[in-house]
């Protein structure tokens, strides 16, 4: 896993999803790492859009990484598509 201070992280069932609202320091860069193990796919949503991009997270054990930028509070949601099963693990590191 990449270095940098851990801001937050966890693991959830795909059915529960990930719903977090970290406060990211203005001008700082962070790395969001996600992995889904199971079947199907999940959708990552980041708000505001200037902080990061939406992405598909396949449930094939591949690590999905995204650089996100601090602009104060950020809403990060990961929700499984219909019929998706399994577990999600995630972490946010300050770079």
């Amino acid at each position: 896993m990449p270095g940098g201070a851990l801001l937050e992280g966890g693991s959830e069932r795909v059915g529960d999803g990930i719903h977090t609202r970290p406060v990211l320091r203005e001008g700082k860069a962070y790395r969001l790492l996600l992995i889904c193990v199971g079947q199907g796919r999940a959708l990552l949503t980041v708000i505001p859009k200037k902080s990061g991009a939406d992405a598909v997270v396949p449930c094939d054990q591949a690590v999905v990484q995204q650089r996100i930028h601090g602009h104060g509070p950020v809403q990060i949601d990961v929700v499984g598509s219909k019929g998706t099963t399994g577990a999600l693990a995630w972490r946010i590191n300050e770079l």
Side-chain angles (χ1 to χ4, degrees), residues 72-95:
V74 175
Q75 178 178 326
I76 298 172
D77 293 301
V78 182
V79 179
S81 299
K82 185 176 180 178
T84 298
T85 60
L88 296 159
W90 61 282
R91 68 187 286 157
I92 300 171
N93 286 32
E94 184 175 332
L95 298 178

PDB file of all heavy atoms in Angstrom, residues 72-95:
ATOM      1  N   GLY A  72     -12.057  21.011   1.632  1.00  0.00           N
ATOM      2  CA  GLY A  72     -12.971  20.978   2.775  1.00  0.00           C
ATOM      3  C   GLY A  72     -13.741  19.666   2.795  1.00  0.00           C
ATOM      4  O   GLY A  72     -13.207  18.617   2.461  1.00  0.00           O
ATOM      5  N   PRO A  73     -15.018  19.697   3.194  1.00  0.00           N
ATOM      6  CA  PRO A  73     -15.809  18.465   3.262  1.00  0.00           C
ATOM      7  C   PRO A  73     -15.996  17.832   1.879  1.00  0.00           C
ATOM      8  O   PRO A  73     -16.276  18.529   0.908  1.00  0.00           O
ATOM      9  CB  PRO A  73     -17.160  18.914   3.823  1.00  0.00           C
ATOM     10  CG  PRO A  73     -16.916  20.251   4.417  1.00  0.00           C
ATOM     11  CD  PRO A  73     -15.772  20.855   3.667  1.00  0.00           C
ATOM     12  N   VAL A  74     -15.816  16.516   1.817  1.00  0.00           N
ATOM     13  CA  VAL A  74     -15.999  15.765   0.577  1.00  0.00           C
ATOM     14  C   VAL A  74     -16.936  14.598   0.882  1.00  0.00           C
ATOM     15  O   VAL A  74     -16.811  13.946   1.909  1.00  0.00           O
ATOM     16  CB  VAL A  74     -14.653  15.222   0.038  1.00  0.00           C
ATOM     17  CG1 VAL A  74     -14.854  14.340  -1.163  1.00  0.00           C
ATOM     18  CG2 VAL A  74     -13.719  16.365  -0.286  1.00  0.00           C
ATOM     19  N   GLN A  75     -17.871  14.373  -0.023  1.00  0.00           N
ATOM     20  CA  GLN A  75     -18.803  13.252   0.113  1.00  0.00           C
ATOM     21  C   GLN A  75     -18.316  12.125  -0.789  1.00  0.00           C
ATOM     22  O   GLN A  75     -18.153  12.313  -1.993  1.00  0.00           O
ATOM     23  CB  GLN A  75     -20.202  13.691  -0.302  1.00  0.00           C
ATOM     24  CG  GLN A  75     -21.238  12.607  -0.250  1.00  0.00           C
ATOM     25  CD  GLN A  75     -22.615  13.136  -0.621  1.00  0.00           C
ATOM     26  OE1 GLN A  75     -22.962  14.268  -0.336  1.00  0.00           O
ATOM     27  NE2 GLN A  75     -23.380  12.302  -1.282  1.00  0.00           N
ATOM     28  N   ILE A  76     -18.057  10.951  -0.192  1.00  0.00           N
ATOM     29  CA  ILE A  76     -17.613   9.782  -0.940  1.00  0.00           C
ATOM     30  C   ILE A  76     -18.612   8.662  -0.690  1.00  0.00           C
ATOM     31  O   ILE A  76     -18.839   8.280   0.456  1.00  0.00           O
ATOM     32  CB  ILE A  76     -16.204   9.341  -0.514  1.00  0.00           C
ATOM     33  CG1 ILE A  76     -15.195  10.461  -0.820  1.00  0.00           C
ATOM     34  CG2 ILE A  76     -15.808   8.032  -1.197  1.00  0.00           C
ATOM     35  CD1 ILE A  76     -13.811  10.206  -0.266  1.00  0.00           C
ATOM     36  N   ASP A  77     -19.227   8.179  -1.761  1.00  0.00           N
ATOM     37  CA  ASP A  77     -20.193   7.087  -1.680  1.00  0.00           C
ATOM     38  C   ASP A  77     -19.801   6.003  -2.668  1.00  0.00           C
ATOM     39  O   ASP A  77     -19.406   6.303  -3.799  1.00  0.00           O
ATOM     40  CB  ASP A  77     -21.611   7.582  -2.013  1.00  0.00           C
ATOM     41  CG  ASP A  77     -22.145   8.543  -0.971  1.00  0.00           C
ATOM     42  OD1 ASP A  77     -22.239   8.154   0.201  1.00  0.00           O
ATOM     43  OD2 ASP A  77     -22.451   9.691  -1.331  1.00  0.00           O
ATOM     44  N   VAL A  78     -19.917   4.751  -2.234  1.00  0.00           N
ATOM     45  CA  VAL A  78     -19.715   3.603  -3.114  1.00  0.00           C
ATOM     46  C   VAL A  78     -20.919   2.689  -2.902  1.00  0.00           C
ATOM     47  O   VAL A  78     -21.176   2.240  -1.788  1.00  0.00           O
ATOM     48  CB  VAL A  78     -18.411   2.845  -2.813  1.00  0.00           C
ATOM     49  CG1 VAL A  78     -18.234   1.691  -3.789  1.00  0.00           C
ATOM     50  CG2 VAL A  78     -17.210   3.786  -2.865  1.00  0.00           C
ATOM     51  N   VAL A  79     -21.667   2.464  -3.976  1.00  0.00           N
ATOM     52  CA  VAL A  79     -22.905   1.685  -3.914  1.00  0.00           C
ATOM     53  C   VAL A  79     -22.840   0.583  -4.957  1.00  0.00           C
ATOM     54  O   VAL A  79     -22.475   0.837  -6.110  1.00  0.00           O
ATOM     55  CB  VAL A  79     -24.127   2.604  -4.171  1.00  0.00           C
ATOM     56  CG1 VAL A  79     -25.409   1.820  -4.123  1.00  0.00           C
ATOM     57  CG2 VAL A  79     -24.154   3.738  -3.160  1.00  0.00           C
ATOM     58  N   GLY A  80     -23.203  -0.634  -4.555  1.00  0.00           N
ATOM     59  CA  GLY A  80     -23.208  -1.759  -5.486  1.00  0.00           C
ATOM     60  C   GLY A  80     -24.317  -1.647  -6.509  1.00  0.00           C
ATOM     61  O   GLY A  80     -25.410  -1.172  -6.200  1.00  0.00           O
ATOM     62  N   SER A  81     -24.036  -2.081  -7.725  1.00  0.00           N
ATOM     63  CA  SER A  81     -25.070  -2.168  -8.763  1.00  0.00           C
ATOM     64  C   SER A  81     -26.052  -3.269  -8.381  1.00  0.00           C
ATOM     65  O   SER A  81     -25.742  -4.138  -7.558  1.00  0.00           O
ATOM     66  CB  SER A  81     -24.441  -2.493 -10.115  1.00  0.00           C
ATOM     67  OG  SER A  81     -23.542  -1.486 -10.498  1.00  0.00           O
ATOM     68  N   LYS A  82     -27.212  -3.271  -9.004  1.00  0.00           N
ATOM     69  CA  LYS A  82     -28.225  -4.280  -8.719  1.00  0.00           C
ATOM     70  C   LYS A  82     -27.630  -5.676  -8.891  1.00  0.00           C
ATOM     71  O   LYS A  82     -26.981  -5.971  -9.892  1.00  0.00           O
ATOM     72  CB  LYS A  82     -29.421  -4.095  -9.647  1.00  0.00           C
ATOM     73  CG  LYS A  82     -30.561  -5.028  -9.323  1.00  0.00           C
ATOM     74  CD  LYS A  82     -31.758  -4.761 -10.201  1.00  0.00           C
ATOM     75  CE  LYS A  82     -32.871  -5.729  -9.832  1.00  0.00           C
ATOM     76  NZ  LYS A  82     -34.065  -5.503 -10.605  1.00  0.00           N
ATOM     77  N   GLY A  83     -27.824  -6.533  -7.893  1.00  0.00           N
ATOM     78  CA  GLY A  83     -27.351  -7.907  -7.950  1.00  0.00           C
ATOM     79  C   GLY A  83     -25.912  -8.106  -7.508  1.00  0.00           C
ATOM     80  O   GLY A  83     -25.425  -9.232  -7.463  1.00  0.00           O
ATOM     81  N   THR A  84     -25.198  -7.023  -7.168  1.00  0.00           N
ATOM     82  CA  THR A  84     -23.806  -7.145  -6.746  1.00  0.00           C
ATOM     83  C   THR A  84     -23.745  -7.682  -5.315  1.00  0.00           C
ATOM     84  O   THR A  84     -24.511  -7.268  -4.454  1.00  0.00           O
ATOM     85  CB  THR A  84     -23.092  -5.781  -6.825  1.00  0.00           C
ATOM     86  OG1 THR A  84     -23.103  -5.350  -8.189  1.00  0.00           O
ATOM     87  CG2 THR A  84     -21.651  -5.868  -6.347  1.00  0.00           C
ATOM     88  N   THR A  85     -22.824  -8.622  -5.079  1.00  0.00           N
ATOM     89  CA  THR A  85     -22.625  -9.180  -3.747  1.00  0.00           C
ATOM     90  C   THR A  85     -21.141  -9.151  -3.413  1.00  0.00           C
ATOM     91  O   THR A  85     -20.298  -9.125  -4.298  1.00  0.00           O
ATOM     92  CB  THR A  85     -23.123 -10.633  -3.657  1.00  0.00           C
ATOM     93  OG1 THR A  85     -22.400 -11.429  -4.608  1.00  0.00           O
ATOM     94  CG2 THR A  85     -24.603 -10.738  -3.942  1.00  0.00           C
ATOM     95  N   GLY A  86     -20.845  -9.164  -2.133  1.00  0.00           N
ATOM     96  CA  GLY A  86     -19.453  -9.215  -1.706  1.00  0.00           C
ATOM     97  C   GLY A  86     -19.149  -8.176  -0.658  1.00  0.00           C
ATOM     98  O   GLY A  86     -20.024  -7.719   0.078  1.00  0.00           O
ATOM     99  N   ALA A  87     -17.872  -7.796  -0.589  1.00  0.00           N
ATOM    100  CA  ALA A  87     -17.394  -6.857   0.419  1.00  0.00           C
ATOM    101  C   ALA A  87     -16.500  -5.804  -0.225  1.00  0.00           C
ATOM    102  O   ALA A  87     -15.838  -6.061  -1.228  1.00  0.00           O
ATOM    103  CB  ALA A  87     -16.623  -7.589   1.499  1.00  0.00           C
ATOM    104  N   LEU A  88     -16.494  -4.625   0.378  1.00  0.00           N
ATOM    105  CA  LEU A  88     -15.665  -3.505  -0.051  1.00  0.00           C
ATOM    106  C   LEU A  88     -14.676  -3.179   1.052  1.00  0.00           C
ATOM    107  O   LEU A  88     -15.041  -3.178   2.233  1.00  0.00           O
ATOM    108  CB  LEU A  88     -16.522  -2.257  -0.289  1.00  0.00           C
ATOM    109  CG  LEU A  88     -17.548  -2.309  -1.395  1.00  0.00           C
ATOM    110  CD1 LEU A  88     -18.631  -1.259  -1.165  1.00  0.00           C
ATOM    111  CD2 LEU A  88     -16.859  -2.061  -2.726  1.00  0.00           C
ATOM    112  N   ALA A  89     -13.442  -2.884   0.697  1.00  0.00           N
ATOM    113  CA  ALA A  89     -12.455  -2.367   1.645  1.00  0.00           C
ATOM    114  C   ALA A  89     -11.921  -1.070   1.049  1.00  0.00           C
ATOM    115  O   ALA A  89     -11.795  -0.934  -0.174  1.00  0.00           O
ATOM    116  CB  ALA A  89     -11.331  -3.368   1.860  1.00  0.00           C
ATOM    117  N   TRP A  90     -11.612  -0.114   1.919  1.00  0.00           N
ATOM    118  CA  TRP A  90     -11.195   1.193   1.430  1.00  0.00           C
ATOM    119  C   TRP A  90     -10.309   1.885   2.452  1.00  0.00           C
ATOM    120  O   TRP A  90     -10.312   1.562   3.641  1.00  0.00           O
ATOM    121  CB  TRP A  90     -12.400   2.058   1.110  1.00  0.00           C
ATOM    122  CG  TRP A  90     -13.268   2.320   2.317  1.00  0.00           C
ATOM    123  CD1 TRP A  90     -14.167   1.454   2.879  1.00  0.00           C
ATOM    124  CD2 TRP A  90     -13.283   3.472   3.129  1.00  0.00           C
ATOM    125  NE1 TRP A  90     -14.747   2.014   3.992  1.00  0.00           N
ATOM    126  CE2 TRP A  90     -14.230   3.256   4.165  1.00  0.00           C
ATOM    127  CE3 TRP A  90     -12.598   4.679   3.086  1.00  0.00           C
ATOM    128  CZ2 TRP A  90     -14.493   4.213   5.136  1.00  0.00           C
ATOM    129  CZ3 TRP A  90     -12.879   5.630   4.059  1.00  0.00           C
ATOM    130  CH2 TRP A  90     -13.810   5.396   5.065  1.00  0.00           C
ATOM    131  N   ARG A  91      -9.541   2.846   1.950  1.00  0.00           N
ATOM    132  CA  ARG A  91      -8.737   3.717   2.816  1.00  0.00           C
ATOM    133  C   ARG A  91      -8.432   4.994   2.085  1.00  0.00           C
ATOM    134  O   ARG A  91      -8.365   5.033   0.848  1.00  0.00           O
ATOM    135  CB  ARG A  91      -7.478   3.001   3.293  1.00  0.00           C
ATOM    136  CG  ARG A  91      -6.485   2.723   2.204  1.00  0.00           C
ATOM    137  CD  ARG A  91      -5.318   1.879   2.657  1.00  0.00           C
ATOM    138  NE  ARG A  91      -4.414   2.653   3.479  1.00  0.00           N
ATOM    139  CZ  ARG A  91      -3.575   2.105   4.348  1.00  0.00           C
ATOM    140  NH1 ARG A  91      -3.528   0.809   4.496  1.00  0.00           N
ATOM    141  NH2 ARG A  91      -2.775   2.857   5.058  1.00  0.00           N
ATOM    142  N   ILE A  92      -8.243   6.053   2.867  1.00  0.00           N
ATOM    143  CA  ILE A  92      -7.841   7.354   2.338  1.00  0.00           C
ATOM    144  C   ILE A  92      -6.546   7.726   3.047  1.00  0.00           C
ATOM    145  O   ILE A  92      -6.491   7.775   4.273  1.00  0.00           O
ATOM    146  CB  ILE A  92      -8.898   8.438   2.596  1.00  0.00           C
ATOM    147  CG1 ILE A  92     -10.229   8.059   1.935  1.00  0.00           C
ATOM    148  CG2 ILE A  92      -8.411   9.793   2.070  1.00  0.00           C
ATOM    149  CD1 ILE A  92     -11.390   8.963   2.327  1.00  0.00           C
ATOM    150  N   ASN A  93      -5.474   7.967   2.265  1.00  0.00           N
ATOM    151  CA  ASN A  93      -4.181   8.369   2.797  1.00  0.00           C
ATOM    152  C   ASN A  93      -3.882   9.786   2.340  1.00  0.00           C
ATOM    153  O   ASN A  93      -4.113  10.131   1.177  1.00  0.00           O
ATOM    154  CB  ASN A  93      -3.071   7.475   2.273  1.00  0.00           C
ATOM    155  CG  ASN A  93      -3.058   6.111   2.887  1.00  0.00           C
ATOM    156  OD1 ASN A  93      -4.099   5.572   3.244  1.00  0.00           O
ATOM    157  ND2 ASN A  93      -1.881   5.539   2.998  1.00  0.00           N
ATOM    158  N   GLU A  94      -3.323  10.576   3.245  1.00  0.00           N
ATOM    159  CA  GLU A  94      -2.815  11.895   2.861  1.00  0.00           C
ATOM    160  C   GLU A  94      -1.462  11.679   2.186  1.00  0.00           C
ATOM    161  O   GLU A  94      -0.636  10.906   2.671  1.00  0.00           O
ATOM    162  CB  GLU A  94      -2.657  12.781   4.087  1.00  0.00           C
ATOM    163  CG  GLU A  94      -2.230  14.193   3.737  1.00  0.00           C
ATOM    164  CD  GLU A  94      -2.199  15.113   4.942  1.00  0.00           C
ATOM    165  OE1 GLU A  94      -2.954  14.887   5.898  1.00  0.00           O
ATOM    166  OE2 GLU A  94      -1.404  16.070   4.904  1.00  0.00           O
ATOM    167  N   LEU A  95      -1.245  12.332   1.059  1.00  0.00           N
ATOM    168  CA  LEU A  95       0.043  12.188   0.346  1.00  0.00           C
ATOM    169  C   LEU A  95       1.030  13.251   0.787  1.00  0.00           C
ATOM    170  O   LEU A  95       0.702  14.235   1.349  1.00  0.00           O
ATOM    171  CB  LEU A  95      -0.182  12.290  -1.166  1.00  0.00           C
ATOM    172  CG  LEU A  95      -1.079  11.205  -1.749  1.00  0.00           C
ATOM    173  CD1 LEU A  95      -1.280  11.432  -3.241  1.00  0.00           C
ATOM    174  CD2 LEU A  95      -0.486   9.848  -1.501  1.00  0.00           C
TER     175      LEU A  95
END
